[in-house]
Amino acid sequence: MAIIEVVKYDGPPGVFAWKYPNQELGTWTQLIVNESQEAILFKGGQALDSFAAGRHTLSTANIPILSNIINLPFGGKSPFTAEVWYVNKMNSMNVKWGTSTPLQLQDPKYNMMIAVRSFGQFGVRVEDPRKFLLQLVGTLPLFDQDTLVNYFRGLLMSNINELISSYLVHKKISILEINAYVAEISKHIQGRLAQTFLDNGLELNNFYIDSINIPDNDPATIRLKEALAKKAEMDIIGFTYQQERSFDTMEEAAGNPGNLGVGMMNTGMGLGMGLGFAGPAVDMVNRMTRGSTFDTGSSPVAKETKVCSKCGVLNAVDARFCNGCGHTLQSVQPEEPAVDKTNCHACGFVLVSEAKFCPNCGTSLILKCGGCGHELKPGQKFCAECGTKAG
């Protein structure tokens, strides 16, 4: 052992506590403590004297507690055994954390179980070195960031799982939208964990969630993203999933007329009726089925068919009423405009009011008033000019 031994530590900032490996110390040992460090002497597992920043000589003058425990003979120059711990009191702002395995959460918006990963960082500072060493370090020769994260992993994961789940459930948001709330969740987690860290001599300065994401190879996530992409596409085009499925079914049936069945068409048309496009869908089916042959396995029946515009059931082309709902299948003919009609005064044949000669007997239908000579219309009983009765 050297006559005068110098004890100091200049390790990396990620180390929170470090133990000097030599326990045989002389009473003239020079103990150097840097700024943001604090050194603590242990004897028999008991924390004794602590030293702030500066140079300290280990003698009976500055280690009173230790000198009371062990009697230093020979004027305080003999060696003694003690452990020296250096505690780093700097702010460590980049302690990284992350979920080792994905969390299984239920998306309240889409009711799917989704695997969720999360990672971020937090900042801590040793606020009470003595409590920190007694609570966390124990007999470890070194306590760094990895050791700290491993120690608090269970506490971190339980709070992260609970808070993310509560945000999904209470706010009714999808896991795909959760990243919009990471700042708010981070503050809640920091407030939840602050007291637990303080009980272990640590001050939790900040807590950040960098990202909450979903594994790219998760089957449920892949299906959900594909469904959302399809929905966005249909919203742009302007129709719904049921409408698209109905059109797909009819297109498939048009390409395979030999396998077209009444049940399939009824299903497709039923969807069409409920979604307000029965007219175009009926026209499409009529074009697909007109002149097609249905193979029933025995003798083919070649008939044209038409679809009921009300229920979508196929009917024979000459049917007047639907065999499914009784709705009329006849086209409504427009009413002919009313035409004034009269009879020929010679033969009684029914005439159109504009006729000038009877098409049956050829009698002239141009009559004149016997009083004033004004031309009378067929069937007119009195002259409009003089009021004379027609002869």
Side-chain angles (χ1 to χ4, degrees), residues 331-369:
S331 300
V332 179
Q333 299 296 331
E335 295 182 359
E336 296 182 358
V339 179
D340 294 336
K341 297 180 181 180
T342 187
N343 297 335
C344 174
H345 61 274
C347 67
F349 187 78
V350 178
L351 304 171
V352 179
S353 59
E354 290 81 2
K356 295 183 179 182
F357 294 91
C358 177
N360 186 46
C361 65
T363 302
S364 175
L365 302 177
I366 301 175
L367 302 177
K368 293 184 179 182
C369 175

Side-chain angles (χ1 to χ4, degrees), residues 229-249:
K230 191 67 174 177
K231 181 179 183 299
E233 178 184 352
M234 290 188 293
D235 289 342
I236 295 174
I237 296 175
F239 55 84
T240 64
Y241 174 78
Q242 288 84 356
Q243 289 174 325
E244 184 185 24
R245 289 292 298 160
S246 298
F247 283 127
D248 291 343
T249 302

Side-chain angles (χ1 to χ4, degrees), residues 176-190:
L176 302 179
E177 305 166 354
I178 194 65
N179 278 314
Y181 299 84
V182 291
E184 189 175 348
I185 298 176
S186 299
K187 292 181 181 179
H188 279 277
I189 294 179
Q190 180 178 352

